Amino acid sequence: MNCFILSKNNLNDFLAALDSYELFVPIRKNGITVLAHIDDPLAIKLDLTSQPYLVKQTIFPQTESLFTFDRKKGIKAPSFETNHKSQVVFGIRSCDARGFCIIDPVFEEDYPDPYYIHKRKSTILIGLQCIEPFTNCFCTSVGGSPSSTEGLDLQFTDIGESYFVEVITQKGEEIIKVTAPFLSCPDKNQSVKKDEVKKDAEQKVKRKIDVNQLSQKIEQIFEDSVWSDLAEKCISCGICTFFCPTCYCFDIQDEIIRGKGKRLRTWDSCMYSEYTAHASGYNPRPTRMERLRNRIYHKFKQNIDRYGVSGCVGCGRCITLCPSNEDIVENIETLQRL
Amino acid sequence: MDNEKLIAEAKTVLLRGDIVGIIGYQKDSQGFRVSPLFVRDERDIEKLFFSPLCWLSLVNYLTLEKGRLLQKGNPGKKAKVALMVRGCDSKALNQIIIERGLSRDEVYVFGIPCNGVIDLKKIEKMFPDVQGSAQVSENNGFYHVRCNGKSHEVPKEELIADSCKHCVSPNPILYDVLLYTPIVVKQPDYRDIEEIDNMSIAEKWEFWREQFSMCVRCYACRNACPLCYCDDCILERLSPQWIYRSVNMSENLIFHLARSFHHAGRCAGCGECERVCPVNLPLMLLNRKLEKDSKELFHYTVGEKAEQKPLLATFNPQDPDDFIF
């Protein structure tokens, strides 16, 4: 693996050198960290202290036009062959990068989804090593780690005055080529320092869940009354699913104004009662109990059965942001105790 | 605040025989977090508590899924649900009652005069790495915070939730038992609203455009609101589809206008919408603007007394109409 050193003073120049790409960087807005699509990295104040929210937006946008139509001119679908700019997403954490790997097969198998696949292929993910995991992080329990490079093309680690840059993939090499003037070779101390930072971060992940035999367990207790108790405080909003790196459900709707329209897909949430409502009026998941059970089932059983990997990356955002303090770590503990 | 009276009252109430359960607060084992607690038998009573950390409203749980708790043990409609209710929550509950969403005799109210609650985001930022459970009490304009084996005194102003800074109804307007001493009521202060009123149209647009562009339409503001209890919400209507699912400036703007307009003359000021917003939109600015307008134009204050008619159900020939045309 190729490794480089980027002085922190050169970070903005490094980003500015990526002007042939659409660039997304973390910024602070309204008290949270989000990714912003920017033109001039030199004019922007980066926020590299906090994990950015809604990273999946960059590859799986919340609102995406599938094709447009016009009563007179017919249907116009996008072309994926055109010379669209590739995009670079900078400063994401390992959990979000792993999230993409977990949802890839959903969009790639059976019926390949050209919209997702095209964006995924033309996106370069640059990670920033997680140094201070949050209170609710539990990535190490579900096959992840704050130092995981799965899904990333480059990984940055803050080692004090500079970043230690690891090249993970061929796409990462591409970035190195255009930013070479700002990079140097690491010495032994820097390499040791990087390993220390990584090890330290892994030990800082405090919360744990026990996934041993979990999928069998939740299958056995499908009809148990525990689900009603767990769901009692849930208010059925979409926060846990919208902010989850691996929730990919969407709705498809037409939006038409005066004979012209778009067929759009927008994020949907299995926590809404409308999500499973049938046209007949019947709803197979009428209450919060069925919906919460479905969410835990999907992450910890169906995803494992179908793709061989847990559908949860342990980022803890569903816990941190939940309005009524629904806590998936505590929920799993309760289920495992049964 | 001492919880002895709360627990003693809760025990008495549960023994009455006509209460199916108590909805209250419980302290979580981690950090500053507080969860709703659903007490169905005596075992859980000791977990009930109240402190400035009780930031969430419990009124919502009476109407969620048409009141699961109410329906479950309540076939003959003789039983009640007991509920811990702060000043703002009592206004919300009262509003539901005057709109006939619930009947007064379906609820037993533990009234809690409330001096304002702590913004969880602020306190978690101030004390980020709390191991185990933390405690907070209030004394003389300071919060006494105990966490990680240490004590801290923090000025109230630094941690109190923004919506509580404007609270003019700390005392419950309806209750069956009042748990603590009533609190002195402050005068309304709309300076923050006037600041926005005084902006030019272009400035207002820029301000709200910036805010609404953050919205991801998770609908937590609607779902957390005790007064959003309609069985059929316009947001889910497909024919006609009043608001498209697209998350863009046009639809986000209409969503927020619709949401706040539906609370004109109804909003209890509990700040739930603002509290739950994952992208921190200042939604109470919209709600309080409508509150101010209701007061100035129609001399109507939500929850002024328990038996008032809803604003939109009243008409006075002297009502101003010069803004119509």
Side-chain angles (χ1 to χ4, degrees):
Chain A
M1 188 198 296
N2 280 332
C3 297
F4 298 92
I5 291 293
L6 172 69
S7 160
K8 281 187 177 173
N9 297 330
N10 287 335
L11 177 60
N12 282 350
D13 294 318
F14 170 92
L15 293 171
L18 302 174
D19 59 357
S20 60
Y21 299 90
E22 304 277 356
L23 186 58
F24 290 84
V25 298
I27 59 157
R28 194 85 179 155
K29 206 173 164 189
N30 262 24
I32 58 168
T33 308
V34 287
L35 292 170
H37 180 207
I38 56 156
D39 295 324
D40 182 9
L42 301 174
I44 216 93
K45 190 174 178 295
L46 299 172
D47 175 36
L48 303 175
T49 55
S50 200
Q51 43 163 284
Y53 284 163
L54 302 163
V55 172
K56 69 179 173 189
Q57 282 267 32
T58 55
I59 292 178
F60 175 48
Q62 182 164 15
T63 308
E64 186 165 33
S65 169
L66 303 179
F67 56 83
T68 57
F69 50 85
D70 184 319
R71 203 166 277 162
K72 290 181 193 127
K73 294 178 195 150
I75 291 172
K76 198 174 165 213
S79 152
F80 298 104
E81 308 304 316
T82 50
N83 45 0
H84 278 304
K85 270 185 175 180
S86 294
Q87 54 183 21
V88 170
V89 181
F90 175 78
I92 67 169
R93 299 297 191 264
S94 295
C95 44
D96 284 305
R98 264 199 89 217
F100 289 122
C101 299
I102 287 171
I103 63 175
D104 281 344
V106 178
F107 290 102
E108 285 166 0
E109 288 176 8
D110 298 341
Y111 298 96
D113 180 307
Y115 304 89
Y116 178 90
I117 293 172
H118 172 73
K119 271 228 151 131
R120 181 79 165 100
K121 274 192 187 148
S122 60
T123 300
I124 296 167
L125 299 173
I126 306 183
L128 182 62
Q129 162 75 36
C130 187
I131 291 178
E132 289 292 341
F134 287 150
T135 332
N136 291 319
C137 292
F138 58 99
C139 57
T140 48
S141 302
V142 284
S145 148
S147 316
S148 160
T149 54
E150 198 183 339
L152 289 170
D153 298 300
L154 286 178
Q155 168 82 309
F156 277 44
T157 305
D158 184 339
I159 53 165
E161 300 289 292
S162 49
Y163 293 107
F164 193 97
V165 182
E166 292 164 272
V167 186
I168 319 290
T169 63
Q170 202 59 43
K171 282 201 274 185
E173 288 287 355
E174 224 182 274
I175 298 295
I176 297 299
K177 270 183 213 153
V178 287
T179 55
F182 308 107
L183 302 169
S184 57
C185 282
D187 61 32
K188 185 110 195 275
N189 287 340
Q190 288 166 321
S191 194
V192 170
K193 174 78 184 152
K194 179 240 350 171
D195 290 338
E196 279 171 11
V197 169
K198 292 195 167 206
K199 211 171 150 199
D200 191 37
E202 279 160 39
Q203 280 161 357
K204 282 184 184 163
V205 178
K206 296 269 164 46
R207 299 197 80 179
K208 303 267 184 276
I209 61 169
D210 175 13
V211 290
N212 185 33
Q213 304 285 312
L214 180 60
S215 65
Q216 292 91 322
K217 179 98 204 186
I218 56 179
E219 188 173 23
Q220 286 158 15
I221 55 166
F222 189 81
E223 301 290 351
D224 200 285
S225 65
V226 69
W227 299 105
S228 298
D229 298 336
L230 294 182
E232 190 141 35
K233 56 185 176 179
C234 171
I235 60 165
S236 285
C237 72
I239 290 182
C240 50
T241 52
F242 281 11
F243 287 80
C244 174
T246 64
C247 275
Y248 53 77
C249 284
F250 56 82
D251 194 3
I252 294 183
Q253 295 192 353
D254 288 352
E255 296 185 0
I256 310 163
I257 297 168
R258 286 186 219 99
K260 287 183 188 171
K262 282 179 186 168
R263 178 153 298 174
L264 296 163
R265 73 163 160 211
T266 57
W267 291 353
D268 204 348
S269 170
C270 59
M271 304 313 279
Y272 298 151
S273 134
E274 184 210 13
Y275 177 86
T276 41
H278 293 187
S280 65
Y282 173 69
N283 194 338
R285 290 189 210 133
T287 70
R288 295 168 291 160
M289 177 281 271
E290 290 93 359
R291 301 197 281 272
L292 181 107
R293 181 173 64 187
N294 171 72
R295 188 163 71 90
I296 293 183
Y297 243 70
H298 189 176
K299 302 287 182 213
F300 295 103
K301 172 158 173 50
Q302 283 144 2
N303 215 78
I304 294 171
D305 290 353
R306 188 155 183 191
Y307 302 116
V309 60
S310 157
C312 169
V313 290
C315 70
R317 293 190 184 100
C318 59
I319 308 172
T320 305
L321 292 170
C322 179
S324 50
N325 225 357
E326 200 65 73
D327 184 328
I328 200 157
V329 172
E330 282 177 10
N331 289 351
I332 301 291
E333 276 170 16
T334 309
L335 296 173
Q336 285 285 34
R337 271 200 303 269
L338 289 175
Chain B
M1 262 173 200
D2 90 86
N3 291 314
E4 277 168 32
K5 191 173 177 196
L6 167 67
I7 288 164
E9 286 290 345
K11 280 183 180 161
T12 321
V13 161
L14 213 55
L15 287 173
R16 283 165 46 126
D18 63 343
I19 303 282
V20 286
I22 303 171
I23 308 176
Y25 297 100
Q26 75 175 322
K27 184 74 199 70
D28 278 17
S29 53
Q30 283 291 319
F32 297 101
R33 297 195 163 222
V34 168
S35 282
L37 175 69
F38 304 89
V39 180
R40 291 200 172 78
D41 56 53
E42 222 171 317
R43 273 175 308 176
D44 288 332
I45 283 191
E46 299 284 334
K47 291 184 198 158
L48 283 170
F49 100 121
F50 189 79
S51 91
L53 291 173
C54 296
W55 192 19
L56 65 161
S57 168
L58 302 172
V59 178
N60 212 351
Y61 292 101
L62 291 174
T63 53
L64 267 174
E65 285 162 20
K66 294 181 197 148
R68 177 173 168 256
L69 196 65
L70 273 171
Q71 279 191 331
K72 204 176 172 187
N74 199 6
K77 277 241 163 191
K78 279 183 186 146
K80 298 167 187 274
V81 170
L83 183 78
M84 285 169 70
V85 163
R86 304 163 301 179
C88 51
D89 301 331
S90 76
K91 281 165 69 179
L93 179 59
N94 188 58
Q95 189 66 26
I96 301 175
I97 292 169
I98 64 176
E99 292 169 1
R100 316 256 167 102
L102 273 174
S103 142
R104 177 67 181 88
D105 56 19
E106 287 178 297
V107 278
Y108 182 93
V109 178
F110 293 109
I112 300 173
C114 166
N115 234 332
V117 289
I118 289 175
D119 183 328
L120 183 72
K121 291 168 190 164
K122 290 182 188 168
I123 198 166
E124 284 190 338
K125 197 173 172 199
M126 193 176 280
F127 303 100
D129 204 14
V130 174
Q131 301 302 318
S133 184
Q135 259 89 46
V136 178
S137 56
E138 188 192 331
N139 195 9
N140 273 337
F142 282 86
Y143 288 123
H144 182 68
V145 182
R146 271 160 294 157
C147 58
N148 292 341
K150 283 188 191 146
S151 286
H152 311 264
E153 297 287 325
V154 185
K156 196 171 162 179
E157 207 53 26
E158 291 179 27
L159 291 177
I160 191 169
D162 289 344
S163 52
C164 297
K165 287 182 184 165
H166 303 288
C167 178
V168 288
S169 34
N171 303 308
I173 59 166
L174 84 174
Y175 53 83
D176 293 286
V177 57
L178 197 65
L179 289 177
Y180 308 107
T181 326
I183 288 156
V184 183
V185 179
K186 281 186 296 191
Q187 284 304 307
D189 176 2
Y190 289 112
R191 273 176 296 180
D192 56 333
I193 305 298
E194 280 154 13
E195 219 172 275
I196 298 207
D197 279 345
N198 291 335
M199 284 182 184
S200 69
I201 288 177
E203 284 168 337
K204 278 182 201 165
W205 175 250
E206 194 41 42
F207 176 79
W208 288 111
R209 198 193 58 77
E210 205 36 47
Q211 293 296 335
F212 293 152
S213 70
M214 300 279 291
C215 178
V216 291
R217 302 257 296 281
C218 62
Y219 298 154
C221 48
R222 173 194 63 167
N223 289 26
C225 176
L227 289 167
C228 272
Y229 63 93
C230 294
D231 288 342
D232 184 9
C233 175
I234 57 157
L235 294 174
E236 269 104 38
R237 275 289 174 96
L238 289 173
S239 181
Q241 193 172 24
W242 299 103
I243 297 169
Y244 283 144
R245 272 290 188 92
S246 290
V247 176
N248 57 34
M249 193 46 205
S250 152
E251 304 309 303
N252 288 4
L253 177 78
I254 293 302
F255 161 59
H256 283 287
L257 289 183
R259 195 198 62 81
S260 57
F261 275 28
H262 284 189
H263 292 106
R266 302 176 69 232
C267 174
C270 66
E272 279 291 277
C273 49
E274 213 171 77
R275 174 184 76 82
V276 302
C277 181
V279 297
N280 303 322
L281 302 185
L283 299 173
M284 283 304 287
L285 288 176
L286 293 172
N287 294 355
R288 294 182 65 251
K289 165 69 177 159
L290 288 162
E291 180 186 296
K292 180 171 172 274
D293 282 357
S294 320
K295 217 173 260 188
E296 288 171 359
L297 298 170
F298 305 103
H299 313 291
Y300 187 93
T301 307
V302 177
E304 199 168 30
K305 47 187 186 293
E307 299 83 20
Q308 72 197 128
K309 277 188 174 171
L311 171 65
L312 297 183
T314 58
F315 174 71
N316 182 342
Q318 272 77 53
D319 281 347
D321 56 8
D322 53 342
F323 51 84
I324 295 175
F325 270 113

